[in-house]
Amino acid sequence: MGKDSFIFDIKVQSTPPYEGALLVAEPFLRENYFNHAVICLVDYTPGHTAMGLVLNKVTHYSLSDLLDNVTDDRDIPVFCGGPMSCDHLYCIHTLGDIVPQARHVTGDLYVGGDFSTIVDYVNSGYPIDGRIRFCMGYSGWEAGQLEGEIKLHVWAVAPIGNSGTLLSDAENKYWHKQVRAMGSPYRGWLYHPQDPKMN
């Protein structure tokens, strides 16, 4: 395979989506919310709507900016989970059964639950990095839409390697980390900068 073909032939065999999978944006996707995005698919049933949270796009808000009852003085970042319901705060975490009503996604990864319990956890000074990620908004697809985008190679579907590292790092570094974990078929993706003007 020549160098140009290695860099520009970014299409790989599609894997069907499943709940708990990661959706890793192909490098040429320029839409603002999804440029070099990594999404955790938190709700998916074939033939139905799907929901995910972008994990690596940091907003300019901290948690205490949005919630008056957060008394912890740490600068806890809030991420942009997607373009839908941006006036709602979502939480993906590994706190498990200590959060009532939390919904299991996969492994030790959960979404939502009793928010007052999560705020109490934060205010008690317990670790946040690697344990909890707060997101404004979410990413959603109509029935059949996500499958169509995957067939068009908009997203690569990848497994979650480690839920602790899943909730650490951010931005372009995070995308590169996930692409490297996906192995040699995706190495060509790493040669495409987030800003195409840098080519």
Side-chain angles (χ1 to χ4, degrees):
M1 178 185 293
K3 186 170 97 173
D4 285 348
S5 141
F6 170 71
I7 292 174
F8 292 105
D9 185 9
I10 64 165
K11 294 181 180 179
V12 293
Q13 184 173 354
S14 298
T15 301
Y18 56 92
E19 189 167 289
L22 297 180
L23 304 176
V24 182
E26 58 89 358
F28 296 143
L29 182 59
R30 298 300 174 208
E31 203 281 338
N32 189 43
Y33 284 99
F34 302 125
N35 178 225
H36 278 206
V38 179
I39 297 175
C40 182
L41 197 54
V42 298
D43 189 12
Y44 176 78
T45 303
H48 294 270
T49 59
M51 174 185 176
L53 296 171
V54 179
L55 297 178
N56 61 320
K57 301 287 186 175
V58 183
T59 71
H60 60 278
Y61 294 106
S62 65
L63 190 63
S64 59
D65 293 331
L66 303 178
L67 298 177
D68 292 337
N69 57 345
V70 171
T71 58
D72 188 282
D73 59 4
R74 288 175 291 177
D75 184 18
I76 299 170
V78 175
F79 291 75
C80 179
M84 307 182 78
S85 293
C86 291
D87 56 345
H88 284 73
L89 196 61
Y90 298 86
C91 179
I92 186 166
H93 57 84
T94 61
L95 303 183
D97 293 340
I98 74 167
V99 180
Q101 290 92 50
R103 191 172 64 77
H104 181 247
V105 177
T106 186
D108 60 353
L109 196 66
Y110 291 76
V111 65
D114 179 63
F115 217 80
S116 62
T117 301
I118 295 171
V119 171
D120 287 345
Y121 176 95
V122 170
N123 287 338
S124 297
Y126 292 122
I128 302 298
D129 187 56
R131 305 284 182 86
I132 308 177
R133 189 145 283 192
F134 295 95
C135 299
M136 290 175 62
Y138 72 93
S139 304
W141 295 265
E142 297 295 331
Q145 181 184 359
L146 178 59
E147 293 87 344
E149 291 180 3
I150 290 170
K151 286 179 181 177
L152 292 173
H153 305 284
V154 174
W155 308 102
V157 179
I160 292 173
N162 180 304
S163 55
T165 60
L166 183 76
L167 303 180
S168 297
D169 292 329
E171 298 299 338
N172 202 33
K173 174 183 177 183
Y174 189 102
W175 182 86
H176 276 80
K177 176 180 73 175
Q178 296 301 332
V179 172
R180 284 193 297 271
M182 287 152 58
S184 57
Y186 296 89
R187 278 184 303 165
W189 285 27
L190 299 172
Y191 292 88
H192 298 279
Q194 186 170 16
D195 183 349
K197 294 191 291 292
M198 294 179 64
N199 267 338

